[in-house]
Amino acid sequence: MSEIRKQLEDGQQEAAQKQPGRAKSFFIGMAGGLRRNLRWKLLSLLIAVLVWVTIMNIDDPYITVTIPDVPVTSLNESVLQEQGKISDIESGRTVTLKVHAPSSIAENLTARDFNAVADYRQMSLVYAVPIQVSLRQESPYNKEDIDITIVSRQPEVMVLTLEDYTSETFRVDIQTLGEAAEGYYVSDMVVKPNLVQISGSEKQIDRIERVVVEVGTGQVKKSFERQAVLRAYDKNGYEIDASTIEFDTKEVNVEVTVLPVKKILLLITTQGEPAYGYECTGIQHVPTEIMIAGKAEDLEGIYSMTIPFDIDMQSKDYGAKLNIETYLNEYYEGKYVLVDEEKYVTVTAYIEKLPTKDFKVRSEDISVVGLAEEYDLLYTTKSDINIKVLGRQEELDKLTVQNLKLYIDVTDYGPGNYYVSVVSDTDAFVTVRTGTIGIRIVEAADTFVIDDTAGGENGNGTEGENAGGTGEENDGT
């Protein structure tokens, strides 16, 4: 038994000594097998990758898409301004990209996902600046596991034109947007400051026709104040890109006055007299009503406005246009504002020649006014005098010499021979064209002196007749 156990133990020891050698031989054999099959295994790996890519492309294939109008940001423009220059971009304000990406991503890409810049420090001698494009950091597709490739960009450079840097001052105009509520009117708008300085290239500054702030006034009922953004427009009414010019202030303050409105009558009154022998038979004007705006308390007391129309010395129909706004401002001292777009009233005065009627008037039909008690008056004009009267026919038809109420005024006249004007004090609506009449004023005592010593017909009576005859001859003369 002991011999058998010994043999077994010796066998186990021998086996244990041989075991490490077998393991080593196993690994050596495996390494040799790997070396012998390496090419096949690499080929298998490559095929597996291709299969994976194929599967992925079938499930979410890569496609190339076009992303238009990606805005290009200019960097370091100050390098030009330091030289007193400014650039005008001829081309390259935007860039069009071709992008390669998985279809699920490519179809959702927009210009906002990309950042395009042109650094003026890289400008070439021909004023071309390279455009660099990258995916924005904040883009949701900017991730390590998403492969997005920018294949191309058009254009590749921003082309500039260098011009002198200049500044100019412009007046700021206000443009309203919308109508005030019914019964109200935007009467005044004030912008502060009303002048603005704009800087930029000579080309861009020369394009500016006007500078405007837009203010919304739709359905407003009361005055207000607000800030408004400045905008520049060219002569064709197109807005000039604000990025190409520089305002000394971006916004201005606008004060808008809103007033209630009221419709009132517009009346016309004549001023002056037509030419002699003519009359104004009527007057017409358009419009007959106007709309004005003012404070509520001022509007309460006005119902009409009368404008004078001068027809002095006119001898035919006369028309003119009168400025309503000017009269409103001057006469009412700015209390009211004309709302109507039409600022003029068209007035026509109808002037007609008056019919005439002649009257033969005797001296006894003429009254004397102002004759002193110590004087007597003799008419040296013995014939009737002609009085011409102008007026409407209906007035002339009912007129008499007595209605004319003719008189002469000899107040302050002393003794002597005179020609005095005959005056009419008629109540009729007529024009009396009078003439003159010859008179002699004598002292009352002289008229009634009787010389008793002269006697008979050859005395003072003869001398009185001779005096009267002399007077009549003078009248004839």
Side-chain angles (χ1 to χ4, degrees):
M1 289 294 289
S2 57
E3 246 180 60
I4 294 171
R5 184 180 294 113
K6 185 176 180 182
Q7 288 177 359
L8 289 171
E9 291 175 356
D10 291 341
Q12 290 174 356
Q13 290 177 358
E14 184 176 354
Q17 291 174 356
K18 291 180 179 180
Q19 191 171 357
R22 289 176 183 172
K24 182 176 180 182
S25 299
F26 174 75
F27 285 110
I28 292 173
M30 284 184 65
L34 284 173
R35 284 194 297 271
R36 287 193 299 271
N37 299 320
L38 179 61
R39 286 179 298 176
W40 295 106
K41 290 183 184 222
L42 289 174
L43 181 61
S44 298
L45 180 60
L46 179 60
I47 292 172
V49 171
L50 290 175
V51 170
W52 179 82
V53 170
T54 302
I55 293 172
M56 290 299 295
N57 273 292
I58 292 173
D59 185 52
D60 190 10
Y62 275 73
I63 61 173
T64 300
V65 294
T66 300
I67 311 295
D69 300 326
V70 178
V72 180
T73 302
S74 299
L75 301 179
N76 298 308
E77 294 178 276
S78 59
V79 298
L80 299 178
Q81 294 180 3
E82 290 172 359
Q83 304 171 15
K85 300 288 184 180
I86 191 171
S87 64
D88 186 20
I89 300 174
E90 286 190 10
S91 62
R93 293 184 185 277
T94 63
V95 64
T96 298
L97 305 179
K98 286 189 179 298
V99 180
H100 191 67
S103 60
S104 61
I105 294 174
E107 292 173 352
N108 295 319
L109 290 172
T110 66
R112 291 190 298 270
D113 293 306
F114 297 91
N115 185 38
V117 297
D119 191 341
Y120 282 22
R121 291 179 299 184
Q122 300 176 5
M123 183 177 62
S124 69
L125 294 176
V126 293
Y127 311 135
V129 183
I131 298 174
Q132 306 295 335
V133 183
S134 61
L135 196 64
R136 288 185 180 275
Q137 291 290 334
E138 58 271 22
S139 171
Y141 307 112
N142 191 354
K143 298 179 181 178
E144 292 183 1
D145 58 343
I146 299 177
D147 183 18
I148 298 175
T149 304
I150 299 172
V151 178
S152 66
R153 61 191 184 280
Q154 288 295 331
E156 295 185 350
V157 295
M158 176 186 285
V159 179
L160 306 177
T161 299
L162 297 190
E163 297 186 35
D164 290 335
Y165 186 78
T166 186
S167 297
E168 191 170 332
T169 300
F170 294 86
R171 187 191 67 191
V172 180
D173 295 327
I174 304 174
Q175 181 174 329
T176 58
L177 301 177
E179 297 291 331
E182 186 175 357
Y184 293 86
Y185 176 67
V186 177
S187 67
D188 190 28
M189 293 179 291
V190 178
V191 59
K192 297 178 181 179
N194 64 342
L195 297 176
V196 61
Q197 188 178 66
I198 303 178
S199 303
S201 67
E202 288 184 345
K203 179 180 177 181
Q204 290 295 86
I205 298 301
D206 288 343
R207 286 183 59 202
I208 300 174
E209 180 72 14
R210 62 194 185 105
V211 178
V212 175
V213 288
E214 297 177 347
V215 181
T217 53
Q219 298 303 307
V220 294
K221 294 183 179 180
K222 60 181 181 179
S223 302
F224 62 90
E225 182 177 344
R226 67 180 53 159
Q227 295 291 113
V229 178
L230 290 165
R231 303 178 188 275
Y233 292 87
D234 63 18
K235 63 181 179 181
N236 296 317
Y238 293 106
E239 184 175 357
I240 296 173
D241 187 354
S243 64
T244 64
I245 53 179
E246 182 180 347
F247 295 90
D248 64 349
T249 178
K250 294 291 184 183
E251 295 183 342
V252 291
N253 188 66
V254 181
E255 298 175 1
V256 179
T257 303
V258 181
L259 297 173
V261 301
K262 183 177 182 179
K263 183 177 287 188
I264 64 171
L265 292 174
L266 179 61
L267 308 176
I268 303 295
T269 182
T270 58
Q271 180 176 282
E273 293 294 335
Y276 188 79
Y278 293 82
E279 72 167 346
C280 178
T281 59
I283 191 165
Q284 288 185 345
H285 64 280
V286 177
T288 58
E289 293 180 323
I290 58 172
M291 189 76 75
I292 61 173
K295 294 180 180 179
E297 58 270 25
D298 293 332
L299 291 177
E300 290 179 359
I302 184 170
Y303 302 94
S304 65
M305 182 180 75
T306 302
I307 299 179
F309 182 48
D310 190 358
I311 60 171
D312 196 45
M313 299 307 294
Q314 298 298 325
S315 59
K316 59 183 178 179
D317 292 349
Y318 175 60
K321 284 190 172 183
L322 306 179
N323 192 310
I324 305 171
E325 197 169 44
T326 299
Y327 185 81
L328 197 65
N329 291 337
E330 292 179 356
Y331 190 79
Y332 293 99
E333 299 178 346
K335 287 172 62 177
Y336 305 107
V337 178
L338 182 65
V339 175
D340 301 317
E341 291 185 3
E342 178 55 59
K343 308 300 182 186
Y344 290 86
V345 55
T346 301
V347 186
T348 302
Y350 298 99
I351 310 295
E352 293 183 6
K353 188 171 184 177
L354 292 169
T356 62
K357 184 175 182 180
D358 292 327
F359 290 87
K360 295 296 183 179
V361 178
R362 299 172 301 172
S363 58
E364 52 261 37
D365 294 323
I366 302 173
S367 302
V368 179
V369 174
L371 182 64
E373 291 183 359
E374 63 270 24
Y375 298 134
D376 282 334
L377 182 143
L378 302 173
Y379 287 103
T380 57
T381 299
K382 299 302 181 181
S383 60
D384 295 340
I385 64 172
N386 186 57
I387 301 294
K388 186 181 289 294
V389 181
L390 301 89
R392 297 183 179 180
Q393 193 62 51
E394 59 269 23
E395 291 289 331
L396 295 178
D397 290 344
K398 61 184 180 182
L399 197 64
T400 64
V401 172
Q402 288 69 32
N403 296 142
L404 291 177
K405 298 181 181 179
L406 301 173
Y407 69 93
I408 58 173
D409 188 350
V410 293
T411 303
D412 299 329
Y413 279 66
N417 294 325
Y418 306 96
Y419 281 95
V420 294
S421 297
V422 179
V423 182
S424 173
D425 192 27
T426 182
D427 297 326
F429 293 100
V430 294
T431 301
V432 180
R433 180 185 293 175
T434 60
T436 59
I437 191 169
I439 64 169
R440 176 184 298 156
I441 297 178
V442 296
E443 297 204 12
D446 294 343
T447 305
F448 298 103
V449 170
I450 299 176
D451 189 352
D452 293 333
T453 61
E457 295 180 358
N458 296 325
N460 289 341
T462 303
E463 291 177 5
E465 288 177 2
N466 290 338
T470 304
E472 289 174 3
E473 287 176 0
N474 290 339
D475 270 338
T477 305

